[in-house]
Amino acid sequence: MPTWITSFDESRPLMNRLAREIIRRLREVLGATAAPVPLHEPLFAGKEEVYVRECITTGWVSSVGAFVDRFEEELARFTGARRAVALVNGTCALQLALRLAGVRADDEVLVPALSFVATANAVAHLGAVPHFVDIEPATLGLDPDKLKEHLAAVVEMRAAGPFNRHTGRRLAAIVPMHAFGHPVRLPELLEVAAAYGLPVVEDAAESLGSTREGRHTGLWGQSGILSFNGNKVITTGGGGALLCQDETLARRAKHLSTTAKTPHPWRLAHDEAAYNFRMPNLNAALGCAQLEQLPGFLRRKRALAEAYQEAFADMEELRFVREPAGARSNYWLCVLALNPAAATSLEAILRAARADGLMLRPAWELLSTLPMYAGCPRADLGAAEEWQPRLCCLPGGPALQPPSPIPNAL
Ligand SMILES: *Cc1c(COP(=O)(O)O)cnc(C)c1O
C-alpha cells in the first residue's frame, strides 16, 4: 500500500487522536461526501457560458473587446478604485505595478517572507532583489512595527532616497500582502512608508472583497494588484488587475501593458520596451460572469468561516484564524493555527486528511528559504519562522457551504 493511503500511524496515538478530531470536525461542517473536497475550486453558476460564447460568435476573443472594458469598469465599481486595468495574471500585474512605482534593476523591494512565490518573482523579473521582512500573528501579513524598527536599523538616507547601508542598494518600494484575504494594518504601514518616501504597492491577489476600515484592499498604496487565477475568490481562468486612484498611472499601465503602441489608425509604432500583459476578452467574459456572483461568493465564504470557527472553538491544540480587528476579510482560505506541540503533527494531519478526501494544505514555505532567494537581504523573521510551520489551510471554495443554513447567509 502506498504510504499516502495509510491514514493513521498506530504507533503514535496522540497524533492519531488530533488528526481524527480535526477530520471529524471538518466533516461536521462539510458533510460526508464521497468525492474529494478540493482546497479551492471555482464555481461557475452564472452567465459564464453565455458570455464566453458571445466572444466566440462575435470573434472578439483577444486583447480588445467589450468584456475587457466592462470587467474593468465593474471591478473599479466593486472595489471603489478610480481605475482598474485588466491584465494576464497577478504576477504580471505586480511586475507592472512595481515598474510604475519606479523599481529598477538592482533596487531592493521589501516583501513579507510569508507569501506565495509570485510576490518575490515579480520583484526578480524586474532585476530587483526581494528584501524579506517579518509578519505579525494578528494578520499573518507584514508587521508595520517591526518594519519600522528594521528600517531604522538598515536605512541610510541619501539624495536619491533610502539605501540599505549593508548592501548599498536603493530601497524602492514596500509590498504588503493580505495573506489568505486578511488585511494587514495599512494605516500604520503607510505611515512608516511615508517616513522614508517609499511607495506602497499592495499585493491584494488574495483579498478581493476584503477591507480595512471600510476601504478596499489594494486602494491604500500607490497601486494594488488582484489575481483571478483558478483558485482565487473569482476566476478568469488566468488573470489579474492593477487598481489605482490616479488616471495618469492607469493610462501608463494600459500603455505599458499593450506593447507601448502609440495610437494611430494603421501605423505600428511603439515608444518603449514594454509588455504584452493585457487580459484577453475571452477571460474578461468569464470575469464579468464571476463578478456578478462575487457578493454571493463572499457571503458563502463568511458562512463557511463562521461554521469552521464554531466547529473548532473548543479545541485546545489550535485556533481558527479570524479576521483582524478593524478589518473585514473575504476569508479566501480558512486557516487553522496549531499550537507548537500540535504543529509537530501537521504532516500527519495533512496526510490523514488527504486519505479521507480532504485537501488540506500547509502555508507556503518561507520565500527566504527558497533556493533562488536564500541569499537575499532580510530582517529578523522570528514571527514568520514561528508561525509558518503552524498553519493549516482548510477547504474554502465558493461551492462549499456549511450543512445547516445560517440565517441570511445567502
Ligand atoms: C495568486 C497570487 C499572486 C498572483 O498569482 P497569478 O497566478 O500570477 O495570478 C500573487 N501574489 C499572491 C500572494 C498570490 O496568492
PDB file of all heavy atoms in Angstrom, residues 243-256:
ATOM      1  N   LEU A 243      -5.095  48.030  -9.674  1.00  0.00           N
ATOM      2  CA  LEU A 243      -6.035  49.040  -9.185  1.00  0.00           C
ATOM      3  C   LEU A 243      -5.258  50.298  -8.837  1.00  0.00           C
ATOM      4  O   LEU A 243      -4.183  50.214  -8.231  1.00  0.00           O
ATOM      5  CB  LEU A 243      -6.736  48.553  -7.905  1.00  0.00           C
ATOM      6  CG  LEU A 243      -7.492  47.225  -7.953  1.00  0.00           C
ATOM      7  CD1 LEU A 243      -8.040  46.907  -6.565  1.00  0.00           C
ATOM      8  CD2 LEU A 243      -8.608  47.265  -8.986  1.00  0.00           C
ATOM      9  N   CYS A 244      -5.802  51.466  -9.212  1.00  0.00           N
ATOM     10  CA  CYS A 244      -5.164  52.702  -8.760  1.00  0.00           C
ATOM     11  C   CYS A 244      -6.158  53.848  -8.738  1.00  0.00           C
ATOM     12  O   CYS A 244      -7.249  53.750  -9.283  1.00  0.00           O
ATOM     13  CB  CYS A 244      -3.925  53.031  -9.575  1.00  0.00           C
ATOM     14  SG  CYS A 244      -4.264  53.433 -11.279  1.00  0.00           S
ATOM     15  N   GLN A 245      -5.752  54.910  -8.077  1.00  0.00           N
ATOM     16  CA  GLN A 245      -6.622  56.075  -7.871  1.00  0.00           C
ATOM     17  C   GLN A 245      -6.202  57.225  -8.774  1.00  0.00           C
ATOM     18  O   GLN A 245      -6.702  58.333  -8.624  1.00  0.00           O
ATOM     19  CB  GLN A 245      -6.535  56.533  -6.408  1.00  0.00           C
ATOM     20  CG  GLN A 245      -6.922  55.480  -5.391  1.00  0.00           C
ATOM     21  CD  GLN A 245      -8.347  55.003  -5.546  1.00  0.00           C
ATOM     22  OE1 GLN A 245      -8.652  54.178  -6.410  1.00  0.00           O
ATOM     23  NE2 GLN A 245      -9.247  55.554  -4.752  1.00  0.00           N
ATOM     24  N   ASP A 246      -5.255  56.964  -9.664  1.00  0.00           N
ATOM     25  CA  ASP A 246      -4.614  58.020 -10.425  1.00  0.00           C
ATOM     26  C   ASP A 246      -4.764  57.725 -11.921  1.00  0.00           C
ATOM     27  O   ASP A 246      -4.255  56.720 -12.426  1.00  0.00           O
ATOM     28  CB  ASP A 246      -3.139  58.061  -9.992  1.00  0.00           C
ATOM     29  CG  ASP A 246      -2.318  59.067 -10.766  1.00  0.00           C
ATOM     30  OD1 ASP A 246      -2.824  59.632 -11.745  1.00  0.00           O
ATOM     31  OD2 ASP A 246      -1.150  59.272 -10.388  1.00  0.00           O
ATOM     32  N   GLU A 247      -5.471  58.610 -12.622  1.00  0.00           N
ATOM     33  CA  GLU A 247      -5.729  58.442 -14.065  1.00  0.00           C
ATOM     34  C   GLU A 247      -4.443  58.295 -14.870  1.00  0.00           C
ATOM     35  O   GLU A 247      -4.348  57.468 -15.777  1.00  0.00           O
ATOM     36  CB  GLU A 247      -6.498  59.655 -14.606  1.00  0.00           C
ATOM     37  CG  GLU A 247      -7.957  59.696 -14.230  1.00  0.00           C
ATOM     38  CD  GLU A 247      -8.786  58.607 -14.921  1.00  0.00           C
ATOM     39  OE1 GLU A 247      -8.328  58.066 -15.951  1.00  0.00           O
ATOM     40  OE2 GLU A 247      -9.865  58.291 -14.406  1.00  0.00           O
ATOM     41  N   THR A 248      -3.463  59.119 -14.546  1.00  0.00           N
ATOM     42  CA  THR A 248      -2.211  59.112 -15.304  1.00  0.00           C
ATOM     43  C   THR A 248      -1.507  57.767 -15.150  1.00  0.00           C
ATOM     44  O   THR A 248      -1.010  57.195 -16.121  1.00  0.00           O
ATOM     45  CB  THR A 248      -1.276  60.246 -14.810  1.00  0.00           C
ATOM     46  OG1 THR A 248      -2.058  61.426 -14.704  1.00  0.00           O
ATOM     47  CG2 THR A 248      -0.125  60.470 -15.753  1.00  0.00           C
ATOM     48  N   LEU A 249      -1.505  57.268 -13.913  1.00  0.00           N
ATOM     49  CA  LEU A 249      -0.874  55.970 -13.651  1.00  0.00           C
ATOM     50  C   LEU A 249      -1.615  54.861 -14.409  1.00  0.00           C
ATOM     51  O   LEU A 249      -0.989  53.974 -15.002  1.00  0.00           O
ATOM     52  CB  LEU A 249      -0.884  55.682 -12.145  1.00  0.00           C
ATOM     53  CG  LEU A 249       0.052  54.565 -11.674  1.00  0.00           C
ATOM     54  CD1 LEU A 249       1.499  55.025 -11.699  1.00  0.00           C
ATOM     55  CD2 LEU A 249      -0.317  54.109 -10.269  1.00  0.00           C
ATOM     56  N   ALA A 250      -2.956  54.931 -14.422  1.00  0.00           N
ATOM     57  CA  ALA A 250      -3.750  53.924 -15.132  1.00  0.00           C
ATOM     58  C   ALA A 250      -3.450  53.970 -16.630  1.00  0.00           C
ATOM     59  O   ALA A 250      -3.333  52.922 -17.271  1.00  0.00           O
ATOM     60  CB  ALA A 250      -5.237  54.160 -14.865  1.00  0.00           C
ATOM     61  N   ARG A 251      -3.345  55.169 -17.164  1.00  0.00           N
ATOM     62  CA  ARG A 251      -3.011  55.290 -18.602  1.00  0.00           C
ATOM     63  C   ARG A 251      -1.645  54.711 -18.900  1.00  0.00           C
ATOM     64  O   ARG A 251      -1.442  54.020 -19.893  1.00  0.00           O
ATOM     65  CB  ARG A 251      -3.070  56.764 -19.033  1.00  0.00           C
ATOM     66  CG  ARG A 251      -4.416  57.164 -19.663  1.00  0.00           C
ATOM     67  CD  ARG A 251      -4.289  58.441 -20.476  1.00  0.00           C
ATOM     68  NE  ARG A 251      -3.809  59.557 -19.668  1.00  0.00           N
ATOM     69  CZ  ARG A 251      -4.613  60.288 -18.867  1.00  0.00           C
ATOM     70  NH1 ARG A 251      -5.895  60.024 -18.788  1.00  0.00           N
ATOM     71  NH2 ARG A 251      -4.104  61.274 -18.163  1.00  0.00           N
ATOM     72  N   ARG A 252      -0.691  54.960 -18.001  1.00  0.00           N
ATOM     73  CA  ARG A 252       0.663  54.402 -18.150  1.00  0.00           C
ATOM     74  C   ARG A 252       0.594  52.871 -18.091  1.00  0.00           C
ATOM     75  O   ARG A 252       1.269  52.177 -18.848  1.00  0.00           O
ATOM     76  CB  ARG A 252       1.582  54.900 -17.024  1.00  0.00           C
ATOM     77  CG  ARG A 252       2.053  56.328 -17.147  1.00  0.00           C
ATOM     78  CD  ARG A 252       3.269  56.483 -18.049  1.00  0.00           C
ATOM     79  NE  ARG A 252       4.433  55.719 -17.586  1.00  0.00           N
ATOM     80  CZ  ARG A 252       5.313  55.133 -18.405  1.00  0.00           C
ATOM     81  NH1 ARG A 252       5.166  55.208 -19.705  1.00  0.00           N
ATOM     82  NH2 ARG A 252       6.334  54.464 -17.913  1.00  0.00           N
ATOM     83  N   ALA A 253      -0.218  52.360 -17.182  1.00  0.00           N
ATOM     84  CA  ALA A 253      -0.344  50.907 -17.030  1.00  0.00           C
ATOM     85  C   ALA A 253      -0.912  50.287 -18.309  1.00  0.00           C
ATOM     86  O   ALA A 253      -0.416  49.263 -18.793  1.00  0.00           O
ATOM     87  CB  ALA A 253      -1.235  50.570 -15.839  1.00  0.00           C
ATOM     88  N   LYS A 254      -1.902  50.934 -18.881  1.00  0.00           N
ATOM     89  CA  LYS A 254      -2.504  50.426 -20.120  1.00  0.00           C
ATOM     90  C   LYS A 254      -1.498  50.473 -21.258  1.00  0.00           C
ATOM     91  O   LYS A 254      -1.378  49.531 -22.042  1.00  0.00           O
ATOM     92  CB  LYS A 254      -3.737  51.261 -20.483  1.00  0.00           C
ATOM     93  CG  LYS A 254      -4.991  50.641 -19.958  1.00  0.00           C
ATOM     94  CD  LYS A 254      -6.232  51.118 -20.682  1.00  0.00           C
ATOM     95  CE  LYS A 254      -7.348  50.162 -20.316  1.00  0.00           C
ATOM     96  NZ  LYS A 254      -8.672  50.595 -20.603  1.00  0.00           N
ATOM     97  N   HIS A 255      -0.778  51.585 -21.343  1.00  0.00           N
ATOM     98  CA  HIS A 255       0.203  51.774 -22.411  1.00  0.00           C
ATOM     99  C   HIS A 255       1.300  50.709 -22.320  1.00  0.00           C
ATOM    100  O   HIS A 255       1.593  50.017 -23.295  1.00  0.00           O
ATOM    101  CB  HIS A 255       0.789  53.179 -22.281  1.00  0.00           C
ATOM    102  CG  HIS A 255       1.684  53.579 -23.405  1.00  0.00           C
ATOM    103  ND1 HIS A 255       1.254  53.634 -24.717  1.00  0.00           N
ATOM    104  CD2 HIS A 255       3.002  53.937 -23.431  1.00  0.00           C
ATOM    105  CE1 HIS A 255       2.255  54.018 -25.495  1.00  0.00           C
ATOM    106  NE2 HIS A 255       3.337  54.194 -24.739  1.00  0.00           N
ATOM    107  N   LEU A 256       1.870  50.557 -21.128  1.00  0.00           N
ATOM    108  CA  LEU A 256       2.972  49.588 -20.951  1.00  0.00           C
ATOM    109  C   LEU A 256       2.491  48.143 -21.118  1.00  0.00           C
ATOM    110  O   LEU A 256       3.264  47.277 -21.510  1.00  0.00           O
ATOM    111  CB  LEU A 256       3.595  49.744 -19.565  1.00  0.00           C
ATOM    112  CG  LEU A 256       4.672  50.812 -19.402  1.00  0.00           C
ATOM    113  CD1 LEU A 256       5.174  50.824 -17.970  1.00  0.00           C
ATOM    114  CD2 LEU A 256       5.852  50.575 -20.352  1.00  0.00           C
TER     115      LEU A 256
END
